[in-house]
Amino acid sequence: MITRHDWSLEEIQALLALPLMDLLWQAQQVHRAANPGYRVQLASLLSVKTGGCEEDCAYCPQSLHHSADVAGRPELEVEPVLERARAAREAGAQRFCMGWAWREIRDGAPFEAMLSMVRGVRELGLEACVTAGMLTDAQAARLAEAGLTAYNHNLDTSPEHYERIISTRTYQERLETLQRVRRAGITLCCGGIIGLGESPADRASLLQVLATMEPHPESVPINALVAVEGTPLEEQAPVDPLEMVRMVATARILMPHSRVRLSAGREALGREAQILCLLAGADSIFYGDTLLTTSNPAVEADRELLAAAGVVAEPLPESVPAGTRG
Ligand code: SAM
Ligand code: DTB
Ligand code: SF4
């Protein structure tokens, strides 16, 4: 299977618009070749610093600019975070993702705490992912040194639709952050959201930016908007579950070896649509009953989902001594 980085907008639009059966068939062939065991990575998510963010992302309940802002939650300290990481491992997670509602990382005690969290999560044998806004080269280097597996920074939508969603930071700034992460040798987790009022061409355009990166982001989260009351997008119509299936399938065809994460919005999808996403090429889900501030399916429901689909979770990396496995 050749991995291409020269996808044209027309090609991507044509894939997104294929008859569903043809799209699924193509995606499945790519997926089965790249991931014959249909292994799914379980990633648990924890919000370390919640709310009060200076950015104005229209979808986000953590922005200072919206009445939805979830204020008053204390920032978590290192030990309770590692406690949650241990519990996530016991429950079967392979990756632990931590979020900070920041415009950018600042140096000082909270950054030192972040580094300790990364080291602690890695010592547990889990992959560690951080999402905390923009960063400098020096901060990226220190995160790499602490053993950070991946940094999440989403493009969210197409360059064309972007200014209708966020005014406080530019698309170009996002791309620069991604380059800094790459330069530091940390893998990239970068994807977007559907259901922000974008057109089919916008979805293709977002996928084109991702699929023409060289290398592709190792991890591509596909979120469906969770329309939260008190955000400017609270009235946005729900995403048709089959649109998520199309987005996942197209991402899989474009980026055969990336992890395509079926991310926010799973609760609204239903069991069968989630299984179609797994069939179409999703090979990761967020695991645990909360995302950052909104809810996610219960662990038990997800175990049943994977069993019903006949897919298995990834094992923990081999480097973890057997006696310490959850
Ligand atoms: N502040 C950091 C940043 O924006 O890079 C990290 C946290 S931010 C909440 C992480 C990502 O979550 C966003 O880029 C966005 O793609 C996704 N997200 C946030 N709110 C969402 C919502 N209501 N529905 C779907 N995805 C959402
Ligand atoms: C991503 O793309 N989705 C996750 C993770 N990366 C950080 C976050 C989803 C957040 C959904 C809204 C909330 O719970 O606040
Ligand atoms: Fe802040 Fe991230 Fe939410 Fe944007 S998505 S308001 S940067 S926490």
Side-chain angles (χ1 to χ4, degrees), residues 53 57 59-62 99-103 131-133 152-154 156 169 174 192-193 223-228 264 292 294:
C53 181
C57 311
Y59 50 75
C60 186
Q62 303 198 65
W100 280 257
W102 284 341
R103 173 174 162 74
T131 182
N152 165 257
H153 196 67
N154 289 339
D156 287 344
R169 102 176 125 201
R174 294 220 182 218
I193 312 177
N223 297 275
L225 174 71
V226 179
V228 180
L292 291 171
T294 65

Side-chain angles (χ1 to χ4, degrees), residues 2 18 31 35 42 56 77 106 109 112 114 130 145 153 172 177 182-183 205 217 251 254 263 270 280 305 319:
I2 45 154
L18 275 177
H31 191 200
N35 178 13
L42 305 178
D56 68 354
E77 288 171 15
R106 267 166 259 164
E112 299 304 319
M114 179 192 289
V130 161
E145 196 182 276
H153 196 67
Q172 189 53 37
T177 299
R182 265 266 172 266
R183 277 204 297 271
S205 174
L254 301 175
S263 302
L305 172 77
S319 57

Side-chain angles (χ1 to χ4, degrees), residues 217-283:
E218 287 76 5
S219 160
V220 181
I222 307 288
N223 297 275
L225 174 71
V226 179
V228 180
E229 220 184 300
T231 62
L233 296 179
E234 64 182 0
E235 306 266 345
Q236 204 60 44
V239 166
D240 174 347
L242 293 181
E243 294 297 305
M244 270 304 259
V245 177
R246 284 184 179 280
M247 202 62 189
V248 165
T250 307
R252 170 55 64 219
I253 295 167
L254 301 175
M255 296 168 279
H257 299 288
S258 300
R259 233 179 236 293
V260 176
R261 297 182 194 272
L262 181 56
S263 302
R266 279 201 297 123
E267 278 190 317
L269 283 186
R271 185 172 82 141
E272 290 75 13
Q274 292 184 72
I275 291 179
L276 278 180
C277 288
L278 293 170
L279 183 82
D283 58 358

